[in-house]
Amino acid sequence: NDLYWKDPYSQGNLALKPEHGKDFDIGVMYRYPSFFGMAVDLTYFGNSVEDLILWQTDANYFSTPQNIGKASIKGIETRVSFSPWKDVLGLDWNYTYLDARNGTEEPDQFDKQLPYRPRHVHNFSAKVGFPGIYLLASLSYSGKRFTNTANTLSLEPYHMSGFLIGCTPFLNPAWMELKLEVRNLENLEYQVMDGFPMPGRELRLSLDLKLRDENEVR
C-alpha cells in the first residue's frame, strides 16, 4: 500500500526508501492473586528508526506516505488488573505514555512530536460474568494528536465508551456466542485522522458458532 495504493483520496509513493531501525523493550510483571487477584505489568520500550514511513495529509486532504529522516520513539506501557471473584468480576486498566520525536534536521521539524501519535492513551474495562452470560463496559481516552510534522495543527483529545452483552449457551456438540454491542455510546463526534469523521453511535449484533468434536473438552 505504501508503494502502490491509489484512490481518489490517497496514493502510494514509489520513491519511498525502506525503514531501518533498532528497538528494545524491558518489562516486569507482578502477580498477587490473594489481593483481589491483582496483576501489574510495566514495560519500557525504545525504537530508533531511519527513513520512517509516515502517511501525511495535505491541505486538500490528499494523503501520501513520506520518509522521515530519523525518529526516536520511546515510552512506557502499564497494565493493572483485578479479579476479586474469579470469572465473576474483572477490572482492567492500561496506559501508554509515548514520546515519539522527529529527528530530521529541519528547523520546523526537529524534535517535534510525530503526527498522529498521542502522548497519552488510557483504556479501562469492567467485566461481570454469570453462567452463560457476561457484561462488559469499556472507556478509552486518546490525547491530542498533531496532524503535521511542524506541530502547528492538531486534533483535540477524545474519549470513547462502549457496552457489550454476550451470551454463551451450551448446545452440544456446538459452541455458540451471541453478542450485542454498542460503540460510541455517547454518540460523540471525533476524528482519528484529520478530515475523516468517525461513525457516531453504532449497534452491532454478532453470532459466533463453532462445531466441536465430541471428544473435545472445553
Side-chain angles (χ1 to χ4, degrees):
N1 288 340
D2 290 338
L3 293 172
Y4 305 112
W5 182 266
K6 187 174 183 179
D7 63 38
Y9 309 102
S10 59
Q11 181 173 328
N13 182 357
L14 289 172
L16 284 176
K17 301 176 183 178
E19 293 181 350
H20 293 87
K22 299 177 182 178
D23 63 87
F24 76 93
D25 60 80
I26 184 171
V28 294
M29 297 185 298
Y30 179 70
R31 302 290 183 266
Y32 194 177
S34 60
F35 186 74
F36 303 107
M38 184 177 72
V40 179
D41 299 331
L42 180 65
T43 303
Y44 175 83
F45 60 89
N47 303 325
S48 177
V49 186
E50 293 187 5
D51 294 321
L52 175 72
I53 295 174
L54 182 69
W55 282 78
Q56 299 188 68
T57 305
D58 62 20
N60 297 316
Y61 297 108
F62 189 83
S63 300
T64 186
Q66 302 290 336
N67 285 114
I68 299 294
K70 294 181 180 179
S72 173
I73 304 171
K74 55 188 177 182
I76 296 174
E77 292 181 347
T78 304
R79 178 175 178 265
V80 180
S81 64
F82 292 92
S83 53
W85 297 286
K86 188 177 180 181
D87 300 327
V88 176
L89 174 64
L91 304 173
D92 187 276
W93 168 74
N94 66 71
Y95 165 70
T96 300
Y97 170 78
L98 183 64
D99 185 20
R101 300 283 180 170
N102 192 332
T104 303
E105 298 293 336
E106 297 288 342
D108 63 338
Q109 298 184 29
F110 180 71
D111 207 35
K112 302 291 187 180
Q113 191 171 340
L114 293 176
Y116 296 109
R117 285 171 167 81
R119 234 179 237 283
H120 307 282
V121 175
H122 295 266
N123 292 288
F124 175 80
S125 66
K127 183 177 181 180
V128 179
F130 305 97
I133 192 170
Y134 65 91
L135 307 173
L136 178 67
S138 61
L139 178 65
S140 62
Y141 168 86
S142 181
K144 182 173 72 172
R145 290 136 294 134
F146 292 105
T147 60
N148 61 352
T149 54
N151 288 183
T152 57
L153 301 173
S154 64
L155 293 174
E156 291 300 313
Y158 69 89
H159 70 274
M160 190 65 49
S161 58
F163 180 80
L164 183 148
I165 180 171
C167 180
T168 55
F170 179 75
L171 300 172
N172 192 41
W175 177 85
M176 182 176 73
E177 182 175 20
L178 180 66
K179 293 185 290 187
L180 177 63
E181 181 180 10
V182 182
R183 298 186 179 183
N184 193 0
L185 191 61
E186 299 170 77
N187 198 30
L188 300 176
E189 296 182 2
Y190 72 102
Q191 298 181 46
V192 177
M193 299 289 292
D194 188 30
F196 297 91
M198 297 299 292
R201 185 182 298 113
E202 295 181 72
L203 184 65
R204 296 190 177 200
L205 180 66
S206 62
L207 175 65
D208 294 334
L209 181 64
K210 296 180 182 179
L211 296 178
R212 301 180 299 152
D213 187 277
E214 59 183 19
N215 296 319
E216 180 183 353
V217 178
R218 271 188 76 184

